[in-house]
Amino acid sequence: QVQLVESGGGLVQAGDSLRLSCAGSGRSFSTYVTAWFRQAPGKEREFVAVISGSDYSTLYADSVKGRFTISRDNAKTTVYLQMNSLKPEDTAVYYCTASSAYYSVRGNSYDYWGQGTQVTVSS
């Protein structure tokens, strides 16, 4: 069983930066594929970024490529999402999720989800 706890959300202005953290617990979390998804009010959940647990390979949604960076510190069993040049359209609840088996952009591939952290970007 894996538990995920997100933190680091908040209210910022356009152009600012935030770093989200996802603290994972449970055996072998450091080997899990971990991803960030987000959901804005009235919209469907969408993929943001993913990082593997083995070779740390990453993949990003086109909307965040070049602005967001996903990374992990396995010693601390934490995955980060560094968000730079934030835009109002980045406003959403951001969720951390993990899978022991799949490296995917599809939310239904993931087994474990955090409670989410709110990011609000004002214009």
Side-chain angles (χ1 to χ4, degrees):
Q1 186 74 12
V2 171
Q3 294 182 328
L4 305 172
V5 178
E6 302 99 332
S7 61
L11 172 63
V12 297
Q13 293 186 333
D16 285 351
S17 298
L18 274 177
R19 189 176 78 160
L20 305 183
S21 298
C22 172
S25 63
R27 192 174 64 177
S28 300
F29 172 73
S30 61
T31 66
Y32 278 45
V33 174
T34 306
W36 289 93
F37 284 75
R38 66 187 181 186
Q39 187 165 22
K43 295 188 177 181
E44 294 187 353
R45 181 180 61 194
E46 66 172 352
F47 166 77
V48 175
V50 60
I51 186 167
S52 72
S54 54
D55 61 2
Y56 292 22
S57 60
T58 59
L59 184 66
Y60 297 91
D62 287 344
S63 60
V64 307
K65 200 173 295 182
R67 300 188 298 122
F68 291 12
T69 302
I70 189 171
S71 62
R72 68 191 307 153
D73 182 340
N74 280 343
K76 297 182 180 179
T77 61
T78 302
V79 173
Y80 303 99
L81 184 68
Q82 178 66 44
M83 305 187 295
N84 298 330
S85 302
L86 282 162
K87 304 175 181 180
E89 50 264 44
D90 295 318
T91 295
V93 177
Y94 283 70
Y95 296 93
C96 176
T97 184
S99 170
S100 61
Y102 298 106
Y103 183 84
S104 174
V105 302
R106 299 179 62 179
N108 58 11
S109 298
Y110 293 86
D111 305 306
Y112 305 101
W113 292 82
Q115 81 288 352
T117 186
Q118 176 71 48
V119 172
T120 303
V121 184
S122 63
S123 56

